[in-house]
Amino acid sequence: MKEQEQYNLVIKFLKGETSPEENENIRNFLKDDTNQKVYDEIVLIWEASYKNIHIDQKKKEIELKKLTNRIDRIHNKEKISIVSTHKRKRTVQSIAKIAAILLVLVIPFSIYFRNYVGNPDIIDDLITKTTLQGQRSSIILSDGTKVYLNSNTQLTYPKTFSENKRQISLVGEAYFEVTKDSNRPFLIKTGNLITKVLGTTFNTKAFEEDSIISISLVEGKVKILDQANNDLDILEPSQEFVYKKSSNQYAKQAFDLDKVTAWKNNILIFDGERLDDISKTLERWYGVKIIIKNNAIKKCKLKAKFENEPLINVLNTLKFAGDFEFKIKDSIVEIDGTGC
């Protein structure tokens, strides 16, 4: 793969527009430790892209120069290089080329300026853990908190928490077992919400493509805040906070513990979900692309439970309940039928 194609693929992946085949290329790319370091740097810049402000071209060039200088410092410090698929070595200046595309063509700038400009060491202290489609993982943070990551999830956290708080950000789904520390609250940023805890166990689901964010409390107590740190609600065990992104409306409700946390044990539970929502879960779980050709069957509501089952078994079971047929070719699943 040519150098420019690699840059474009990384950007495409961060935008969530890659095919299953391209996801596999990303997986292979990240197997190299040096490439992973490069990717982590790019993700941190990418995560500065949530809001827009007007930046003139001259200021863009100034900030890009600062970024390039910072990358030079990393290179001089760690002496790292990137090995391409053709085994050619390139210096870490390649990051600057990708970052230039992100800064000038793709990324809005407000959070980048607010969080990173004027504080050149903050990126060095942050780590981003990413799971691709079809992957699940777990990590222990510096305070002993254990985090289980579902597929297609990004967790950004400091190498060492500060003395007065523990703050991370999440895109995707994770199950937290937070170490109790009454002097340092644990803060999780997910979209427009902040979850504040001292020590507790809960599940957070906040995929970018989903219309809602849900926070499901297993043990302890959590407080939900908005971006302005205004209190929205407090959860007790067995309560779930559901936030609708489009309307900024939210509600508190009971939830099925086994269903919400089943993914952590490699179990899939569908209890009356629509086929189009089930398809999103299967895409993330198995690393495939699912195309539903007939809109009539998207609304079919299905019930099923699967434990460590291959995709073909899952689809064969669902097709009888949903009265549809499917075919798989090159990680693409096509579903068609008359409707349920």
Side-chain angles (χ1 to χ4, degrees):
M1 185 184 299
K2 295 181 180 179
E3 185 174 295
Q4 187 62 44
E5 291 175 345
Q6 287 183 330
Y7 302 157
N8 293 339
L9 181 59
V10 170
I11 295 170
K12 190 176 180 182
F13 173 71
L14 291 173
K15 293 171 70 177
E17 298 175 352
T18 45
S19 67
E21 292 83 2
E22 290 169 327
N23 286 338
E24 184 62 30
N25 289 337
I26 289 288
R27 289 191 190 95
N28 292 332
F29 178 76
L30 295 180
K31 288 178 181 178
D32 182 271
D33 290 340
T34 302
N35 290 347
Q36 181 68 57
K37 289 182 180 180
V38 171
Y39 176 80
D40 290 344
E41 288 285 331
I42 297 167
V43 168
L44 289 171
I45 300 168
W46 179 264
E47 288 180 343
S49 65
Y50 294 108
K51 295 181 180 178
N52 283 293
I53 59 173
H54 175 72
I55 302 295
D56 60 36
Q57 185 61 34
K58 184 176 180 180
K59 196 163 188 178
K60 289 180 185 179
E61 293 172 357
I62 292 173
E63 297 310 326
L64 181 56
K65 179 64 175 176
K66 289 181 181 179
L67 176 63
T68 304
N69 290 339
R70 210 193 81 74
I71 292 168
D72 284 337
R73 292 198 299 273
I74 296 172
H75 174 54
N76 293 332
K77 179 180 179 181
E78 300 188 12
K79 303 295 184 183
I80 63 174
S81 62
I82 306 171
V83 181
S84 72
T85 54
H86 299 292
K87 305 301 181 182
R88 294 182 295 109
K89 290 189 176 181
R90 304 191 301 272
T91 69
V92 78
Q93 282 289 342
S94 299
I95 310 175
K97 294 181 181 179
I98 303 178
I101 299 172
L102 297 180
L103 285 171
V104 179
L105 300 179
V106 182
I107 291 186
F109 299 93
S110 61
I111 294 181
Y112 173 76
F113 291 138
R114 183 170 68 250
N115 291 345
Y116 300 143
V117 173
N119 191 357
D121 297 323
I122 191 168
I123 297 181
D124 286 341
D125 294 333
L126 291 176
I127 300 170
T128 296
K129 175 72 173 179
T130 302
T131 56
L132 302 179
Q133 288 184 329
Q135 294 181 328
R136 281 165 291 283
S137 183
S138 63
I139 186 171
I140 297 178
L141 304 181
S142 62
D143 66 334
T145 292
K146 188 164 187 178
V147 186
Y148 299 85
L149 303 178
N150 204 346
S151 303
N152 200 27
T153 293
Q154 285 184 358
L155 181 74
T156 301
Y157 57 96
K159 183 177 180 180
T160 303
F161 288 117
S162 68
E163 294 181 357
N164 57 0
K165 67 179 178 180
R166 300 169 289 171
Q167 185 166 346
I168 65 173
S169 65
L170 173 73
V171 178
E173 183 171 16
Y175 182 89
F176 294 88
E177 296 175 354
V178 179
T179 299
K180 188 173 183 178
D181 187 339
S182 58
N183 296 319
R184 292 189 300 172
F186 194 94
L187 306 173
I188 304 100
K189 174 77 167 58
T190 50
N192 292 330
L193 300 178
I194 298 172
T195 304
K196 182 178 181 180
V197 305
L198 294 176
T200 188
T201 303
F202 61 99
N203 192 85
T204 297
K205 187 176 182 181
F207 289 105
E208 287 184 329
E209 64 270 25
D210 288 354
S211 61
I212 65 170
I213 296 173
S214 63
I215 300 157
S216 311
L217 183 61
V218 179
E219 296 177 356
K221 181 182 290 187
V222 303
K223 179 184 289 186
I224 313 299
L225 306 95
D226 62 17
Q227 291 189 99
N229 284 319
N230 298 313
D231 293 353
L232 298 181
D233 216 328
I234 294 177
L235 295 183
E236 300 287 347
S238 300
Q239 291 182 333
E240 180 178 65
F241 182 90
V242 179
Y243 172 81
K244 294 183 179 180
K245 297 178 184 178
S246 59
S247 62
N248 288 326
Q249 294 180 330
Y250 57 89
K252 186 163 60 177
Q253 62 189 31
F255 71 96
D256 185 331
L257 175 62
D258 290 338
K259 178 184 175 184
V260 168
T261 62
W263 67 266
K264 189 168 66 73
N265 299 311
N266 292 319
I267 298 173
L268 285 171
I269 298 177
F270 302 117
D271 187 18
E273 282 92 342
R274 289 167 42 129
L275 181 59
D276 52 355
D277 291 327
I278 291 174
S279 296
K280 291 179 184 178
T281 299
L282 296 181
E283 285 181 333
R284 292 190 287 254
W285 196 266
Y286 292 102
V288 297
K289 175 66 176 177
I290 297 179
I291 300 171
I292 302 177
K293 303 186 74 173
N294 183 357
N295 288 333
I297 61 175
K298 289 183 178 180
K299 298 179 181 179
C300 291
K301 295 183 178 181
L302 307 174
K303 292 185 177 183
K305 179 179 179 179
F306 306 98
E307 184 171 358
N308 291 318
E309 291 284 353
L311 177 61
I312 188 71
N313 291 357
V314 172
L315 292 172
N316 275 323
T317 299
L318 293 176
K319 81 172 186 177
F320 291 110
D323 192 23
F324 62 78
E325 297 295 329
F326 69 89
K327 60 181 179 180
I328 304 175
K329 183 179 180 181
D330 298 330
S331 298
I332 304 294
V333 179
E334 290 188 356
I335 295 177
D336 201 358
T338 57
C340 49

